[in-house]
Amino acid sequence: MSLNPSSGYAAAATHDATQVPIFDVQKVQLRFDISADFVAAQVANNVLILALSTGRILRFDLDNAEDIDDIDLPKRPAEIGVIRRLFLDPSASHLIISTTLGENFYLHTQSRQPKALAGLKGVQVESIAWSPSQPTASTREILVGAADGSVYETYIEPTTEFYRRQEKYVKNVYNPQDGAVVGIYADVLSALPETRRVLVATAHKLLHFSGRTGRAGHEGSGSIYSKLFESETPAVHEVDRAGAASPSCLVVSPDSPDAPPSSVEAQSVERAYAWLTSQGIFNGKLITTAADPAVLGRQLFRESKLWPQSKLPPIQTSGGRNRTQQPPISSILLTQFHILALVEGRITAINRLDESIVYNQQVLDASQSVLGLFADHQKNTYWLFTSNEIFEVVVTDEARDVWRILLKQGQYDAAQRYAKTAEQRDAVASMTGDHLISQGKFMEAATVLGKSTKAFEDVALSFIDHGEQDALRRYLLVKLSTLPRKAVMQRMMVASWLIELFMAKLNQLDDTISTKAELTTDGQPGLTAADMQKQLPVVRKEFQDFVTRYKTDLDRKTTYEIVSSHGREEELLYFANVVDDYNYVIAYWVQRERWTEAMAVLKKQTEPEMFYKYSTVLMAHVAVELVEVLMRQQQLDAKKLIPALLNYNKVAGSSVPLGQNQAIRYLLFCINHGHTTEPAVHNTLISLYASHNTPDESALLGYLETQAQAHEQHYDADFALRLCIAHKRVQSAVHVYTSMHQYAAAVDLALKYDHVDLAAEVADRPGNDDGLRKKLWLKVAKKVIQREKGIRAAIDFLKRCELLRIEDLIPFFPDFIIIDDFKEEICAALEDYSRQIEELKREMDESANTAEHIKGDIKRLDERYAIVEPGERCFKCRLPLLMRQFFLFPCQHAFHADCLGEMVMGALGTGKGRRIRELQREIGRGVAVGKGREGMVRELDGLVAGACVLCSEMAVRLVDEPFVGATDDRGEWAV
């Protein structure tokens, strides 16, 4: 890596994580000259601070290498001493500078002028515990560890006023009485009420304080840690004081790279700490909770462990031999999972989880001056500073082996979190599942193993051998959710097995409840029937959720067979409903003659085939309810329901009144509301009406009359006639005959069954056809005369027809009858004949007179003549009439023969015009002579001169002809 002003801060090229080591120390190339040695350094939030022996401070923004601040202390090193330590908060907002003469300065990130901290004058600062809230405008309350063993609390707020101090207060809050405070750390355990933890480290002691802090007035008005140090007794971990003095420090792990530094997750995560002592590195987790909060510190130290310095790899001499005495560790830092230790220029990385050494590399000469190892807690970068060089410890996929280590240690949940690849997660799941089975946690094991690739048969047999059917069911459910969609056969087999397990479990629960027995397993107290009663709906709900989710993976036939074999009616029907197999549901209820349940399902259907299929059986048992449903279905074809209606009529229709016959009710609905014109529907209705055992045929007759009134007959008349005759529905049959205009047959049928009035009504139907009416009435007369005992009554009845005469009726009377019974009628008839004869004679006389007048008119026509004046002209060509042959009509209109012919041909049709031209041609050629010619001339005269073309019927035909023709001069008509 390099600090390159032209190109910025660039990371080294990344490689495959499986080929690149976890740690790699890379030297940072400085693209500018440094005039003096480095005496102190710090890095935080991608801001790097270097202190030079000349008193200069260089501040680099690693995100923008060109942004370099060159800052000088207010006084020369000769006056205040050389800079010995730098302390930079995690946000890189606050920097505290400490010199060898005890002068301390404060520099804010937005300032280039360090300000002296008068309240800390003369204090050799060894460590600082920054505020856990990480403020940026001020430091808020911080703890300062001094070389004299004192712990100070201060609150620094930058100000531009010359006379104001930077620190609001400085207070000595604690002294462990054990030498310099080499490390101090503070964090928040609970926000409400505010409970904090403080770790204070000396060379031989590590003290843990935890408790509530005080709050005096407004923020910054006074110490908050005094109450904690005064009221709480610390937990202490102490090391052996024997041996030579060695470097000591306290470090904590950086923020989690998965959470933003300022997020709640980053603040609440458990960090790790490490305390460097003469004996080694004492490290552990900074746990935030304990069973008893009062012993949090003791529990923290109890769970921590010491990594002895003796475990460091031996350092070889120049001759290749190992050194007998191990040099002390000069500096340490913590990464997420490792401890980096610096020993005479050699960096060693120790895994905190299993204490294995993952990196050991000589980076510097043993004699080279080293400032130490430093960590950027927010950006998770790690640095090594010497007096004139900068190195970065590049970390690549530090957690790559964490899952394996945690798995070996039995921390299965944690191992699962750090397993990145599918193979890693699978290995963790397999071992976790085996471990849970060994502990008897079968349900948890089923969930874990279901997500692994461990052999299916091994896992299933393991649960079966242990008799854990519930765990097996859970395993299969999880396994089914992980199987790919394309594994159709496997998914179907697993789903079918689950159906079997669900049914067995439900039956087991039902049996336990019914027998009120207790179930005991593995020596555990048994579950009572009441417990089973609570568990039953849970398992049933689980089954229903399973069927709903995986219905596409279940074979219908197989599922039906499994559920039916266990006698689980409710589950069987639920599955059928879920897969929309309503056909099966209805068939199930019909088979068990549960008509109400069957109708409840059918009501929700819209598929016509469902109604066609089950209408026959349902019509025979729940006809009223079925018809109600059918009448709500608009898309049904009534013709396909006819077999069901006929079957209903056969079974129950004849035993109920017509008004309650549901088949007739539905057919009438189809005709009256559906306006169906299907002949089969109408014929079926006629059949039901005709075949009913009621003697009243008014309903049938009313239907037929309605059809006649609508002038649309949609039934088959022949079919209806046969049915009416077969079932002796006389009135209806007569109506059909009448509609077919077979009046004679209608009268015969009516008379056959002694319906004389009906026959008389039909006999009047022909209307204007008096001959037919008389014929029909004669049939009625014959029946009436034969039926009536008294002749008078028969005569009175027959007076309803004015066409009948007494002489028409005489043949029907008996041979021996007293004439007195109808003497008046005979006399009236004779008188009527006399009047008719007189009328005829008068009409004959009038006809004879009319004939004589006609003969006289004809004779006068032969003697009629007309006078043609010399100057009279043709009415067409206006030339003198006498120039050539002409015709003169009684109306005084005169035309030349050829002119008249042209006018007639224009007025007559094409056929007569053609005939006139043919006759003119034949006569003009002179071919015909004698009588032939005379006949042609008479025919031509008849066609041409039959009537005047101007005032006869021919003139009327020409009424639409215009006055001015195409050849006429329009100017002559101008007014």
Side-chain angles (χ1 to χ4, degrees):
M1 302 194 176
S2 63
L3 288 172
N4 188 342
S6 62
S7 61
Y9 173 72
T14 58
H15 302 281
D16 185 358
T18 60
Q19 298 176 356
V20 178
I22 296 177
F23 296 100
D24 183 25
V25 180
Q26 299 180 3
K27 184 177 181 180
V28 176
Q29 300 298 327
L30 301 178
R31 300 301 177 90
F32 51 88
D33 295 332
I34 302 297
S35 59
D37 290 343
F38 305 145
V39 294
Q42 271 296 343
V43 62
N45 198 21
N46 265 2
V47 175
L48 188 148
I49 309 292
L50 292 175
L52 306 183
S53 60
T54 59
R56 289 173 58 199
I57 296 175
L58 301 178
R59 182 165 57 190
F60 300 90
D61 182 356
L62 297 181
D63 291 327
N64 184 9
E66 296 179 356
D67 186 6
I68 304 176
D69 293 332
D70 193 343
I71 303 168
D72 291 319
L73 291 180
K75 297 180 180 181
R76 293 178 299 173
E79 300 178 30
I80 59 177
V82 179
I83 299 173
R84 58 179 290 271
R85 298 291 297 272
L86 297 176
F87 302 95
L88 185 63
D89 82 306
S91 67
S93 300
H94 314 284
L95 175 67
I96 293 179
I97 307 155
S98 180
T99 68
T100 55
L101 297 181
E103 296 289 340
N104 297 292
F105 299 89
Y106 170 78
L107 178 65
H108 192 267
T109 184
Q110 297 179 351
S111 174
R112 297 170 60 92
Q113 297 180 356
K115 300 295 181 67
L117 298 175
L120 294 175
K121 185 177 179 62
V123 176
Q124 293 283 347
V125 180
E126 292 290 336
S127 58
I128 291 181
W130 298 100
S131 174
S133 60
Q134 297 186 11
T136 56
S138 67
T139 63
R140 295 186 65 176
E141 56 280 343
I142 61 175
L143 295 174
V144 178
D148 62 358
S150 298
V151 176
Y152 298 91
E153 180 184 350
T154 185
Y155 190 117
I156 301 175
E157 187 173 51
T159 178
T160 57
E161 299 178 13
F162 179 75
Y163 61 87
R164 286 189 59 185
R165 297 171 57 173
Q166 303 295 310
E167 62 274 29
K168 287 190 173 184
Y169 63 87
V170 177
K171 182 178 182 180
N172 189 331
V173 294
Y174 185 70
N175 193 320
Q177 305 296 326
D178 192 43
V181 178
V182 298
I184 190 167
Y185 173 77
D187 63 356
V188 178
L189 296 179
S190 174
L192 293 174
E194 187 170 84
T195 304
R196 296 199 180 188
R197 181 234 311 274
V198 177
L199 285 177
V200 179
T202 64
H204 303 96
K205 285 184 180 181
L206 181 62
L207 298 93
H208 181 284
F209 293 88
S210 63
R212 297 183 60 181
T213 56
R215 177 65 64 185
H218 61 82
E219 184 178 300
S221 62
S223 171
I224 68 169
Y225 284 105
S226 297
K227 178 181 178 181
L228 175 66
F229 287 112
E230 292 171 0
S231 61
E232 299 295 334
T233 301
V236 181
H237 179 78
E238 191 170 0
V239 297
D240 190 2
R241 298 175 182 270
S246 62
S248 179
C249 64
L250 177 68
V251 294
V252 295
S253 61
D255 298 338
S256 172
D258 299 329
S262 60
S263 67
V264 177
E265 291 82 354
Q267 299 298 328
S268 62
V269 68
E270 286 189 350
R271 298 177 182 269
Y273 78 96
W275 176 39
L276 176 61
T277 68
S278 59
Q279 296 181 356
I281 303 172
F282 186 70
N283 64 94
K285 287 185 177 181
L286 287 173
I287 59 175
T288 57
T289 58
D292 183 2
V295 297
L296 179 64
R298 292 197 294 272
Q299 182 176 338
L300 183 146
F301 291 148
R302 188 167 55 251
E303 295 178 0
S304 301
K305 54 190 175 182
L306 176 67
W307 192 83
Q309 188 170 333
S310 59
K311 287 187 178 181
L312 282 171
I315 298 176
Q316 295 182 346
T317 63
S318 58
R321 296 182 179 181
N322 294 335
R323 293 177 56 174
T324 57
Q325 186 175 2
Q326 187 71 260
I329 300 174
S330 60
S331 179
I332 63 171
L333 64 79
L334 287 181
T335 66
Q336 293 294 328
F337 301 101
H338 296 82
I339 303 172
L340 294 183
L342 178 64
V343 183
E344 289 191 352
R346 177 181 292 272
I347 293 181
T348 302
I350 305 106
N351 191 299
R352 289 192 295 106
L353 302 178
D354 63 353
E355 299 185 348
S356 63
I357 296 176
V358 299
Y359 182 81
N360 185 43
Q361 187 68 38
Q362 189 73 32
V363 179
L364 306 173
D365 294 336
S367 60
Q368 193 169 353
S369 175
V370 179
L371 301 182
L373 293 169
F374 299 88
D376 185 342
H377 284 191
Q378 288 195 359
K379 301 300 181 180
N380 278 258
T381 57
Y382 311 98
W383 306 81
L384 169 63
F385 293 96
T386 69
S387 59
N388 52 21
E389 291 180 322
I390 302 175
F391 296 87
E392 182 178 6
V393 182
V394 180
V395 181
T396 305
D397 192 16
E398 181 183 5
R400 68 177 69 168
D401 296 322
V402 171
W403 69 274
R404 185 179 290 108
I405 297 171
L406 294 173
L407 192 61
K408 290 180 180 178
Q409 295 176 352
Q411 301 182 44
Y412 299 103
D413 292 338
Q416 188 66 41
R417 288 199 303 271
Y418 289 104
K420 303 300 181 183
T421 66
E423 293 78 5
Q424 293 173 3
R425 288 191 292 269
D426 183 60
V428 173
S430 297
M431 291 190 65
T432 304
D434 293 341
H435 172 72
L436 291 172
I437 289 178
S438 65
Q439 292 186 329
K441 299 178 180 179
F442 296 101
M443 296 300 288
E444 294 88 340
T447 302
V448 173
L449 291 172
K451 299 176 182 179
S452 71
T453 60
K454 187 173 182 179
F456 177 83
E457 59 275 15
D458 293 343
V459 178
L461 288 173
S462 176
F463 288 129
I464 293 173
D465 292 341
H466 287 87
E468 289 295 329
Q469 297 298 316
D470 291 344
L472 177 60
R473 190 174 71 252
R474 173 73 62 81
Y475 170 71
L476 293 178
L477 281 170
V478 177
K479 179 59 69 176
L480 182 59
S481 67
T482 61
L483 286 174
R485 285 289 178 187
K486 61 182 180 181
V488 178
M489 186 57 66
Q490 291 90 331
R491 292 179 67 89
M492 187 176 297
M493 293 176 65
V494 172
S496 300
W497 192 358
L498 278 166
I499 292 291
E500 174 67 31
L501 293 176
F502 273 117
M503 296 303 101
K505 180 64 176 179
L506 290 170
N507 280 342
Q508 177 189 3
L509 293 174
D510 283 339
D511 293 343
T512 304
I513 294 170
S514 61
T515 57
K516 300 182 182 297
E518 290 190 351
L519 180 65
T520 56
T521 56
D522 300 333
Q524 299 290 335
L527 296 176
T528 64
D531 296 330
M532 291 294 181
Q533 187 72 46
K534 295 178 182 179
Q535 190 178 1
L536 181 62
V538 175
V539 177
R540 182 177 288 118
K541 180 64 167 59
E542 185 181 351
F543 165 77
Q544 293 174 353
D545 293 341
F546 162 73
V547 169
T548 303
R549 181 177 180 182
Y550 296 105
K551 59 184 178 181
T552 57
D553 297 315
L554 291 168
D555 178 67
R556 290 189 183 185
K557 182 179 179 181
T558 303
T559 305
Y560 286 146
E561 291 177 354
I562 295 174
V563 180
S564 298
S565 65
H566 287 271
R568 304 297 303 183
E569 178 181 283
E570 181 178 345
E571 286 72 26
L572 182 70
L573 296 176
Y574 182 84
F575 171 73
N577 280 283
V578 166
V579 298
D580 298 330
D581 192 0
Y582 301 108
N583 185 30
Y584 183 89
V585 178
I586 297 175
Y588 180 88
W589 292 125
V590 168
Q591 186 178 5
R592 286 154 181 77
E593 297 184 0
R594 303 271 289 275
W595 312 116
T596 304
E597 290 83 351
M599 284 303 305
V601 179
L602 189 64
K603 287 178 182 178
K604 303 175 184 178
Q605 307 310 307
T606 57
E607 183 63 33
E609 292 300 326
M610 296 285 285
F611 296 93
Y612 302 149
K613 183 173 183 180
Y614 295 102
S615 59
T616 300
V617 63
L618 294 176
M619 196 70 188
H621 296 89
V622 281
V624 176
E625 293 81 357
L626 178 61
V627 169
E628 290 289 345
V629 174
L630 295 179
M631 290 167 63
R632 291 195 294 267
Q633 303 296 323
Q634 301 297 324
Q635 74 279 18
L636 294 180
D637 184 358
K639 183 171 62 175
K640 295 184 178 180
L641 294 170
I642 289 176
L645 300 178
L646 293 176
N647 181 70
Y648 161 79
N649 191 67
K650 179 181 178 181
V651 174
S654 299
S655 61
V656 297
L658 276 176
Q660 300 177 15
N661 188 299
Q662 299 305 312
I664 293 177
R665 176 189 173 202
Y666 178 68
L667 291 174
L668 286 175
F669 171 81
C670 295
I671 294 172
N672 297 330
H673 295 85
H675 305 292
T676 180
T677 59
E678 183 63 45
V681 175
H682 290 264
N683 292 340
T684 303
L685 179 60
I686 293 174
S687 174
L688 298 181
Y689 272 137
S691 60
H692 198 273
N693 55 13
T694 179
D696 184 13
E697 58 177 306
S698 58
L700 174 58
L701 186 59
Y703 162 75
L704 295 174
E705 291 175 348
T706 302
Q707 290 286 300
Q709 292 172 3
H711 302 291
E712 292 182 359
Q713 180 176 302
H714 301 300
Y715 60 87
D716 185 343
D718 293 333
F719 174 77
L721 188 60
R722 288 195 300 272
L723 282 176
C724 292
I725 294 174
H727 294 282
K728 297 182 180 181
R729 305 299 181 181
V730 179
Q731 297 182 47
S732 301
V734 168
H735 179 84
V736 175
Y737 269 131
T738 304
S739 65
M740 299 169 64
H741 301 289
Q742 297 184 17
Y743 302 108
V747 171
D748 291 341
L749 181 61
L751 295 176
K752 179 180 178 181
Y753 291 94
D754 293 331
H755 291 275
V756 177
D757 290 333
L758 179 60
E761 183 182 346
V762 175
D764 277 332
R765 292 288 180 85
N768 296 329
D769 191 350
D770 292 342
L772 179 57
R773 284 184 62 204
K774 185 175 181 180
K775 180 180 178 181
L776 298 177
W777 270 103
L778 288 174
K779 292 184 177 184
V780 176
K782 182 178 180 180
K783 183 67 175 178
V784 170
I785 293 172
Q786 292 175 355
R787 186 187 66 175
E788 295 294 340
K789 300 297 183 181
I791 299 302
R792 174 52 57 185
I795 295 300
D796 292 339
F797 178 84
L798 296 173
K799 285 182 179 180
R800 292 167 55 182
C801 179
E802 74 282 0
L803 300 178
L804 295 182
R805 303 293 181 182
I806 189 63
E807 63 273 19
D808 298 327
L809 305 178
I810 290 176
F812 303 137
F813 290 140
D815 294 335
F816 301 98
I817 187 171
I818 301 173
I819 197 171
D820 292 339
D821 293 334
F822 53 95
K823 180 174 62 175
E824 295 179 1
E825 284 73 16
I826 294 176
C827 293
L830 292 175
E831 292 176 358
D832 187 36
Y833 285 141
S834 296
R835 286 192 298 271
Q836 291 181 12
I837 291 171
E838 292 296 331
E839 184 66 25
L840 289 175
K841 289 170 74 174
R842 186 180 60 78
E843 291 177 358
M844 290 173 62
D845 291 343
E846 290 178 355
S847 298
N849 292 333
T850 301
E852 290 298 330
H853 289 305
I854 291 173
K855 288 180 181 180
D857 291 340
I858 293 174
K859 185 176 181 182
R860 284 192 295 273
L861 284 176
D862 292 339
E863 299 174 357
R864 190 174 181 181
Y865 63 92
I867 299 175
V868 178
E869 298 294 338
E872 194 165 351
R873 297 178 181 275
C874 174
F875 271 82
K876 181 180 185 302
C877 65
R878 310 309 297 172
L879 294 177
L881 188 62
L882 299 177
M883 287 180 61
R884 56 184 182 271
Q885 184 180 2
F886 65 89
F887 287 93
L888 179 63
F889 292 95
C891 59
Q892 297 303 313
H893 288 136
F895 307 92
H896 292 130
D898 52 346
C899 292
L900 181 59
E902 291 177 5
M903 294 177 70
V904 170
M905 283 191 292
L908 294 176
T910 305
K912 291 184 177 181
R914 186 185 303 111
R915 181 57 180 166
I916 292 173
R917 283 191 293 271
E918 291 176 357
L919 292 174
Q920 288 177 342
R921 190 164 49 251
E922 292 294 334
I923 295 173
R925 289 192 304 176
V927 177
V929 294
K931 293 182 179 180
R933 177 181 175 83
E934 293 177 359
M936 290 181 182
V937 171
R938 283 195 300 272
E939 183 180 357
L940 179 60
D941 290 345
L943 291 173
V944 174
C948 177
V949 72
L950 295 181
C951 56
S952 66
E953 184 180 351
M954 282 189 288
V956 177
R957 295 175 185 170
L958 300 176
V959 70
D960 57 345
E961 292 291 331
F963 287 107
V964 183
T967 59
D968 294 335
D969 184 8
R970 295 181 179 272
E972 295 179 357
W973 291 83
V975 179

